[in-house]
Amino acid sequence: MQSVEDRVTLLSALTMAQEGDLGQQLQGSALDQPEEILHLPNIHTLMDPSPADNSHLQKEFFSLKIRNCPLFNAVPLPHIGKKVLPDLSQVSNRVVSSKESLNLHFLPENQLLEKIFSYFDSTSVAAWQERAQGVLRELGHWSAARENFVQFAHFWLFELQYDQKQQLLELELGVIEDEVHLAFLKGLDSKDLQPSELSSILLVALSEYPVGLASNQHPYIFLDYLNLMSSPDTSGYREMLSNIQYPSKNPQITQWLLAIREFALANLWHAMVKFYKALVSTQISSEAAIKVPTSSPRQEATEVMKERALQAVQWGYADVLDYLVRSQKLDLSIVDEKNRNLLFLATIYDQSKILEYFLEMALPVPDINQTAENGNTPLHAAVNTGKMHLISLLLHYPGINVNVQNPQCDGATPLHLAIVYGHLGICYLLLNAAADVNSVMAGLTPLQLAETFGNETITGLIKMHVKKTQLENTIFARSASEGNPIEF
């Protein structure tokens, strides 16, 4: 597997391929996850185990910073370059991909490419490559710092609006365009080249702009590229770099186009990340950064995706989780080091949006009845939090078993735990969901357990439920014997 530094050799290798046919992570250790209760505590010393969650604070901070950013409060900025690239959004509403050619009306003929590059100062290439490699190393180290990629992905998908992305991309591409034009000063000064002709060069090298990068129809291309640029595995980066829609038959020109593409990609992505970092450079992010080591640069891609998914659940970023599922083909059966699946983690982190996301998605979801290493299911964990909205969401999952017993906790079902903790409302929800009033924990039925703890209210609720169930069964049996079954 090649390191990021090895990318400097890609341009030459890609050029050789063009002659025939043009063809780091995150910390490996566990998250700071709240410890779930393994055994029954003393009823008089129960405390709310719900984790501290500053995700709402973080989201409010992002929104406030963006609203106050001068870039988005002022009149939309003009392109700071000397010229404006053709607006492909007027040509096609589809996202430009490696399999889709651009409208040839905007692309130079091979003869024009020869003319333009006859004025090219090739001494610029070495400097561009050096800068690009430095940027890629920086992106790799930054993305490998624990939550950075996940936090940025949420910012890009949710916090940054479509028009804001367009303004930022146009602003930064103008800077890149002007730098590229410096390599063609001889032709510009002699008036042998027109600015529009040079703009077409950047269009060839960076075909993803503007439709692909700012389109709401395919919001994941920017994150996909960031993932490729920051990965120590350069195979995907190599393919991305070679994606020139209109290559020249001249291998020298092809090499120069690849150099321009690498320079443009690296600097454009770096500028977006730099803008984001400027927004979050506050006391909150500084303190968090102190506690955030980086992962191994050789961490496997599957482990990276797993770690990012666990982080997305922890922060409640359903948009990032959806990106990982749809774009990165995340395996939804993943578990953490304590065998807790994504539903379990969403529960103990009190992330309703994640639970709602899985409820609404058509794809197979994590096993709602899967037990962690402590024997609890997500429903057990939800009861431990004492939060009824989590119970209600979990009870809507098809196939949920409300009577799973935990052998490590004397056979406790979620109902037993709710009784021990004195959660009257949760007991009511579980009883309405057909919780078994005859199951035993340490030899005690739910009614006996409620009486043992001296909770008269829950005791009365269970007795009322038992009587109601018995009455319904009696009426049903009588009606069935008379040939008139009743539906309750």
Side-chain angles (χ1 to χ4, degrees):
M1 182 182 294
Q2 294 174 296
S3 65
V4 176
E5 289 79 357
D6 294 335
R7 291 190 173 113
V8 73
T9 63
L10 286 179
L11 293 179
S12 299
L14 286 169
T15 302
M16 297 298 294
Q18 300 287 349
E19 296 179 9
D21 181 24
L22 181 70
Q24 143 165 32
Q25 315 314 17
L26 302 171
Q27 178 184 353
S29 59
L31 297 173
D32 296 328
Q33 299 164 348
E35 289 297 328
E36 199 212 351
I37 299 173
L38 300 181
H39 298 289
L40 296 178
N42 186 306
I43 191 65
H44 301 293
T45 61
L46 292 176
M47 299 185 67
D48 187 359
S50 59
D53 182 8
N54 66 347
S55 60
H56 297 296
L57 175 62
Q58 189 81 350
K59 293 173 185 176
E60 292 175 4
F61 164 71
F62 279 156
S63 299
L64 179 61
K65 292 286 286 186
I66 293 174
R67 288 197 300 270
N68 292 335
C69 181
L71 175 62
F72 301 129
N73 286 333
V75 176
L77 292 175
H79 195 292
I80 68 173
K82 299 183 180 68
K83 49 267 145 194
V84 179
L85 289 177
D87 184 1
L88 294 186
S89 63
Q90 303 300 321
V91 180
S92 172
N93 291 324
R94 295 179 300 128
V95 176
V96 177
S97 69
S98 59
K99 297 180 180 179
E100 296 175 325
S101 297
L102 295 174
N103 191 314
L104 296 182
H105 174 71
F106 294 111
L107 297 179
E109 301 273 347
N110 273 301
Q111 185 177 2
L112 180 57
L113 281 176
E114 296 279 352
K115 170 195 171 184
I116 294 173
F117 275 100
S118 67
Y119 297 97
F120 180 64
D121 180 5
S122 60
T123 61
S124 303
V125 172
W128 287 349
Q129 287 181 328
E130 183 178 355
R131 286 177 58 185
Q133 296 310 311
V135 165
L136 291 173
R137 283 191 293 269
E138 183 178 338
L139 285 176
H141 291 312
W142 181 82
S143 294
R146 205 162 142 200
E147 287 127 351
N148 281 348
F149 186 95
V150 171
Q151 294 281 13
F152 176 82
H154 176 66
F155 169 77
W156 183 262
L157 294 172
F158 182 76
E159 298 290 345
L160 201 58
Q161 302 304 311
Y162 173 71
D163 59 335
Q164 296 168 349
K165 292 177 184 177
Q166 284 187 314
Q167 290 183 55
L168 281 172
L169 290 168
E170 182 179 358
L171 176 68
E172 297 301 337
L173 194 67
V175 176
I176 296 170
E177 187 179 8
D178 285 344
E179 290 201 47
V180 171
H181 286 192
L182 291 177
F184 296 88
L185 281 181
K186 181 180 178 182
L188 290 171
D189 291 342
S190 64
K191 307 298 184 182
D192 291 333
L193 290 181
Q194 298 300 317
S196 59
E197 293 176 328
L198 289 181
S199 296
S200 66
I201 292 296
L202 197 57
L203 185 62
V204 170
L206 192 62
S207 61
E208 295 85 356
Y209 178 86
V211 176
L213 297 184
S215 172
N216 286 329
Q217 299 177 25
H218 188 72
Y220 298 150
I221 186 172
F222 192 93
L223 297 178
D224 286 343
Y225 278 25
L226 176 60
N227 184 56
L228 292 174
M229 289 182 190
S230 58
S231 173
D233 182 357
T234 60
S235 58
Y237 174 80
R238 178 192 179 98
E239 180 179 355
M240 177 190 71
L241 184 60
S242 66
N243 182 21
I244 293 181
Q245 298 291 326
Y246 193 69
S248 168
K249 296 179 180 179
N250 185 328
Q252 183 64 73
I253 292 179
T254 298
Q255 183 179 14
W256 289 337
L257 282 172
L258 288 168
I260 293 174
R261 176 168 174 78
E262 181 178 43
F263 176 76
L265 285 169
N267 283 279
L268 188 58
W269 264 250
H270 179 258
M272 297 298 101
V273 171
K274 185 177 180 180
F275 174 79
Y276 163 78
K277 289 163 66 176
L279 285 180
V280 299
S281 58
T282 64
Q283 185 66 25
I284 294 177
S285 61
S286 297
E287 291 177 353
I290 295 175
K291 305 174 184 178
V292 175
T294 58
S295 64
S296 167
R298 298 298 183 183
Q299 193 174 13
E300 293 295 331
T302 54
E303 286 300 311
V304 172
M305 290 304 108
K306 171 183 172 179
E307 195 75 13
R308 288 175 179 174
L310 299 180
Q311 291 166 3
V313 170
Q314 178 184 4
W315 287 84
Y317 293 160
D319 48 4
V320 180
L321 185 61
D322 186 60
Y323 160 69
L324 295 174
V325 170
R326 299 183 186 279
S327 182
Q328 302 299 307
K329 310 303 180 186
L330 176 70
D331 180 5
L332 291 178
S333 66
I334 61 172
V335 295
D336 70 355
E337 76 286 351
K338 296 182 179 180
N339 204 48
R340 299 179 294 192
N341 65 14
L342 297 180
L343 290 178
F344 199 113
L345 293 173
T347 300
I348 63 175
Y349 284 121
D350 192 11
Q351 297 296 354
S352 300
K353 288 185 177 180
I354 301 297
L355 296 177
E356 291 169 353
Y357 167 75
F358 282 125
L359 263 179
E360 295 171 358
M361 71 185 303
L363 299 174
V365 301
D367 184 0
I368 187 63
N369 299 311
Q370 183 172 335
T371 58
E373 68 175 17
N374 62 6
N376 281 346
T377 66
L379 190 57
H380 283 95
V383 173
N384 282 336
T385 70
K387 296 179 179 179
M388 291 185 63
H389 65 279
L390 296 176
I391 308 292
S392 297
L393 283 171
L394 292 175
L395 290 177
H396 279 84
Y397 275 77
I400 187 169
N401 183 359
V402 299
N403 296 309
V404 175
Q405 293 183 297
N406 185 344
Q408 300 182 42
C409 199
D410 297 323
T413 66
L415 179 59
H416 288 120
L417 294 182
I419 294 169
V420 172
Y421 287 122
H423 297 323
L424 176 64
I426 293 178
C427 288
Y428 178 80
L429 290 177
L430 293 173
L431 289 171
N432 279 349
D436 186 3
V437 294
N438 296 313
S439 61
V440 294
M441 185 194 87
L444 299 176
T445 65
L447 178 59
Q448 293 169 335
L449 189 62
E451 293 173 339
T452 299
F453 275 85
N455 194 318
E456 296 180 0
T457 307
I458 293 181
T459 299
L461 174 66
I462 296 175
K463 287 181 176 179
M464 184 184 303
H465 177 80
V466 171
K467 288 182 179 179
K468 177 185 175 183
T469 303
Q470 291 175 344
L471 178 60
E472 290 174 349
N473 291 338
T474 300
I475 295 175
F476 181 83
R478 182 182 303 168
S479 300
S481 64
E482 296 173 355
N484 299 310
I486 297 178
E487 294 185 2
F488 291 98

